[in-house]
Amino acid sequence: MSENDKEQQDLHSDEGKERNAWGHIVRGLWRSPLGVLGISITTISITLMVVGLIAEILGLFHNPYSSLFTYLVLPGAMVLGLLLIPLAAYLRRRQWHKYGISRDHLKINLSNHKHRRFLIGLLVLSVINVSILIIIAYEGYHFTDSAFFCGVVCHQVMDPEYTAYQRSPHSRVKCVECHIGPGAQFFVRAKISGLRQVVAVLTDSYRRPIPAPVHELRPARDTCENCHWPEKFAGKKVKTFVSFTNDDQENPETNEIALHIGGHNPVTDKFEGIHWHVSNDVEVYYLATDEKRTNIPRVRVKRADGTEDEFVKADGEEHAAEGEHQEWRRMDCIDCHNRPTHIYDQADERIDFGLLSKRINPKIEGIREDSLKTVTSKYATREEAQEKIGPDLMALQQQRNPDQAKMYEKDIVQAGEYLVEIYLNNVWPETAVDWGTYNSHLGHDLADEGFGCWRCHDEEHENENGDTISQDCALCHDEP
Ligand code: HEC
Ligand code: HEC
Ligand code: HEC
Ligand code: HEC
Ligand code: HEC
């Protein structure tokens, strides 16, 4: 202690008592169980948070569950601890009042250097704490943008989407790159709707299945086009479709088509083909009168040469049914690519793939029909399906032909395992996601159910001259 300090202390000798009172409060914190709890929680969580942060920055380990702990659980604990400390101090202070110490003695006195020291200490600690919290909040914000956070933290709700996503071409693209996109406005909207969703999950009031299409999805121009753009598409793409029938499980029917992917034609410098709808100077608008956007009575076009047209379906339902939603929408990527990453299968396609890859032995009579029947049966839970699919398939086969079932027992068990696998990739009874809950618009397989290109390309939408939106097979694909 310097001469000066001593002098000051002497000058204010009566401050001794006052100082003691204040000091007692601080020290008293240690004696109040609440205070000890607050101080320990804060100290432990700060220490673990700093350790977790350093470990993650140095790349010592990178485990999403530890991030969950570092960025969500520990900061919560730290804030709780920090709230407990002043609460304990306040309660302690009230006790001092009860024991008759005058309020004056409990005032903070800035001309008292001990008080100043205490305050400066408090300030320094707060700055350190707040800095750590800011770093954690920044890192934690990135963490809440990760696919792991979206897909796993809301595990049950998003399990179908996350599972399908993981085996899709976009499994390295973060959820937020399609669902939120860049910019502060959508960020704020997304976090607000995120909060609403968390409430819906906590109160168990979310819709099952989660409805598609997502009406407030960010326009694809701002998301997909960060990575794919119409000028980039060109030429044709050959695709092969293989299918079997119940009568012929061994010789596949093969369809090979060359899709006119189109987009920009470098020779004519024009936009054409399938990606014409989303090319620069073209605008296609359509009126949908149901939530799923499958019923389209009107289509408007503005072509690159400036001409405009409206196609109307003569007997189309012009108005939305009660409670349905009606909207004019500018066509973009997701009106065709509505399943770019949450890609669910058709049961028959998966079974045909099993026959082709021989995971289902095609020599077993009736196995295609029985597999389809089993895998589309209703099970109450995924666990139940996992247990029962194998035995159910076996039972059907035994009914069909006991001798054959015996002869191919091993193959039928193996087929059962394959069925469990495809079931678990596509069906979630708990959230009402079944085969065909989420259909794709890419193509015209499901035209009868209102999905795909033939919603407009049906030769029934006519303009004033009686021209229609063409269903000519050669418009979209030819034989390679
Ligand atoms: C490549 C872009 C893309 C990525 C990446 C992506 N989504 Fe989607 N998601 C979509 C589109 C497009 C739709 C809208 C489908 C529709 O309108 O029919 C959608 C719909 C959904 C839906 C509504 C239900 C449904 O299946 O239509 C949920 C829930 C969802 N996504 C969650 C996620 C989660 C969780 C992730 C990350 C694990 C993710 N998405 C990643 C494009 C994406
Ligand atoms: C962050 C970049 C990114 C975004 C955003 C993105 N994609 Fe992709 N997309 C990719 C990558 C990478 C691939 C895989 C390319 C490959 O496998 O060769 C891909 C592949 C595709 C394919 C081809 C799939 C196949 O079966 O080969 C389609 C179709 C597609 N994306 C559509 C979309 C649509 C629609 C959106 C918006 C909803 C979108 N993408 C958003 C990066 C992106
Ligand atoms: C009119 C419907 C339609 C629209 C609109 C559309 N696409 Fe496509 N797209 C298709 C079809 C059909 C294919 C070929 C299908 C297949 O590969 O199975 C395709 C293929 C693709 C591919 C793969 C190309 C390749 O060579 O393999 C990508 C990437 C893609 N689209 C992205 C987009 C993006 C991004 C948008 C929006 C800017 C968009 N598409 C708009 C129908 C459409
Ligand atoms: C919302 C309605 C709508 C849907 C859905 C739709 N189209 Fe179209 N399509 C149109 C209209 C309108 C035209 C232009 C007709 C005209 O100009 O006379 C068109 C034109 C085309 C053309 C010719 C482009 C050119 O070169 O001029 C192709 C190819 C095409 N569509 C393919 C598809 C494919 C493939 C799908 C499904 C994956 C699809 N369309 C879905 C409305 C639609
Ligand atoms: C508006 C565009 C369009 C028109 C018109 C069209 N198709 Fe297609 N077709 C598609 C697209 C897109 C796919 C690819 C779907 C996919 O990638 O899964 C397809 C796929 C197919 C397939 C393979 C699918 C399978 O499951 O085997 C066949 C076969 C086919 N089309 C036949 C036809 C015939 C026949 C016509 C004429 C009556 C026709 N298409 C008219 C767009 C069209």
Side-chain angles (χ1 to χ4, degrees), residues 182-336:
Q185 190 204 351
F186 276 89
F187 168 74
V188 172
R189 265 164 63 173
K191 295 288 161 184
I192 290 173
S193 96
L195 271 182
R196 218 176 344 103
Q197 288 161 20
V198 169
V199 171
V201 172
L202 290 179
T203 56
D204 206 27
S205 62
Y206 60 92
R207 285 169 69 182
R208 302 174 177 80
I210 301 176
V214 179
H215 285 265
E216 65 277 24
L217 197 73
R218 178 118 186 222
R221 305 250 133 189
D222 303 340
T223 54
C224 317
E225 291 193 22
N226 283 329
C227 302
H228 314 279
W229 51 95
E231 288 82 351
K232 230 172 58 172
F233 304 119
K236 294 186 181 180
K237 178 180 180 181
V238 176
K239 279 192 94 172
T240 309
F241 298 84
V242 178
S243 58
F244 296 93
T245 59
N246 289 346
D247 299 328
D248 189 348
Q249 300 178 155
E250 293 194 65
N251 305 300
E253 186 184 314
T254 308
N255 273 317
E256 215 172 7
I257 57 172
L259 285 160
H260 302 166
I261 295 290
H264 188 232
N265 183 335
V267 180
T268 59
D269 198 30
K270 285 206 171 113
F271 284 92
E272 61 188 23
I274 295 173
H275 288 95
W276 163 87
H277 308 77
V278 286
S279 55
N280 287 349
D281 302 315
V282 171
E283 289 172 24
V284 177
Y285 288 90
Y286 68 87
L287 177 72
T289 56
D290 62 345
E291 242 191 8
K292 283 188 158 5
R293 301 187 184 136
T294 51
N295 185 26
I296 298 179
R298 280 168 186 271
V299 182
R300 276 190 204 137
V301 197
K302 195 165 144 249
R303 303 191 185 86
D305 60 11
T307 56
E308 296 186 28
D309 231 335
E310 176 158 348
F311 296 89
V312 182
K313 190 167 178 169
D315 61 349
E317 286 291 329
E318 278 281 349
H319 296 288
E322 189 89 33
E324 280 282 10
H325 159 107
Q326 175 158 337
E327 68 173 330
W328 271 101
R329 179 178 153 81
R330 166 122 187 234
M331 190 170 180
D332 70 19
C333 317
I334 65 147
D335 290 297
C336 300

Side-chain angles (χ1 to χ4, degrees), residues 86-160:
L87 180 70
Y90 173 74
L91 291 177
R92 192 82 192 160
R93 194 166 173 261
R94 281 220 335 219
Q95 252 175 16
W96 277 89
H97 287 159
K98 236 166 66 190
Y99 296 129
I101 294 199
S102 93
R103 271 168 190 276
D104 274 356
H105 290 277
L106 291 168
K107 284 220 173 93
I108 297 174
N109 179 0
L110 282 182
S111 57
N112 179 321
H113 77 280
K114 285 221 166 178
H115 285 196
R116 273 202 313 270
R117 231 160 44 201
F118 172 74
L119 273 182
I120 289 171
L122 192 72
L123 211 69
V124 170
L125 269 180
S126 301
V127 167
I128 294 177
N129 282 343
V130 169
S131 313
I132 294 178
L133 271 182
I134 287 175
I135 298 176
I136 288 281
Y138 177 79
E139 291 287 329
Y141 153 66
H142 284 287
F143 175 63
T144 63
D145 271 3
S146 70
F148 171 83
F149 181 79
C150 306
V152 177
V153 174
C154 272
H155 187 82
Q156 203 204 358
V157 186
M158 300 272 187
D159 199 26

Side-chain angles (χ1 to χ4, degrees), residues 45-100:
S45 48
I46 290 184
T47 314
L48 287 178
M49 238 149 70
V50 171
V51 170
L53 204 60
I54 292 174
E56 198 137 314
I57 289 171
L58 294 183
L60 294 184
F61 57 80
H62 198 79
N63 173 334
Y65 286 98
S66 78
S67 307
L68 190 63
F69 204 66
T70 310
Y71 299 133
L72 292 174
V73 179
L74 290 177
M78 173 176 166
V79 169
L80 179 74
L82 285 179
L83 289 178
L84 284 182
I85 295 173
L87 180 70
Y90 173 74
L91 291 177
R92 192 82 192 160
R93 194 166 173 261
R94 281 220 335 219
Q95 252 175 16
W96 277 89
H97 287 159
K98 236 166 66 190
Y99 296 129

Side-chain angles (χ1 to χ4, degrees), residues 311-427:
F311 296 89
V312 182
K313 190 167 178 169
D315 61 349
E317 286 291 329
E318 278 281 349
H319 296 288
E322 189 89 33
E324 280 282 10
H325 159 107
Q326 175 158 337
E327 68 173 330
W328 271 101
R329 179 178 153 81
R330 166 122 187 234
M331 190 170 180
D332 70 19
C333 317
I334 65 147
D335 290 297
C336 300
H337 296 282
N338 61 332
R339 304 270 128 216
T341 194
H342 313 296
I343 306 169
Y344 300 96
D345 308 306
Q346 304 287 327
D348 55 347
E349 282 176 11
R350 282 329 305 172
I351 286 168
D352 287 352
F353 181 76
L355 290 167
L356 188 72
S357 62
K358 303 284 190 279
R359 293 197 56 188
I360 302 176
N361 185 344
K363 298 212 156 29
I364 308 172
E365 195 194 316
I367 191 79
R368 186 177 187 275
E369 192 181 353
D370 293 348
S371 296
L372 200 56
K373 201 164 164 190
T374 312
V375 89
T376 53
S377 310
K378 297 275 171 265
Y379 297 99
T381 61
R382 284 159 64 82
E383 288 73 27
E384 186 186 317
Q386 214 165 347
E387 269 170 37
K388 290 194 178 157
I389 282 180
D392 284 357
L393 179 67
M394 187 62 85
L396 284 177
Q397 276 287 313
Q398 276 162 350
Q399 243 171 33
R400 186 182 285 275
N401 182 341
D403 296 335
Q404 174 183 263
K406 203 164 195 144
M407 193 165 93
Y408 284 116
E409 194 179 334
K410 241 176 81 191
D411 288 350
I412 297 172
V413 170
Q414 197 200 343
E417 283 161 7
Y418 175 73
L419 295 188
V420 167
E421 204 179 295
I422 65 175
Y423 181 96
L424 292 181
N425 274 337
N426 288 285
V427 185

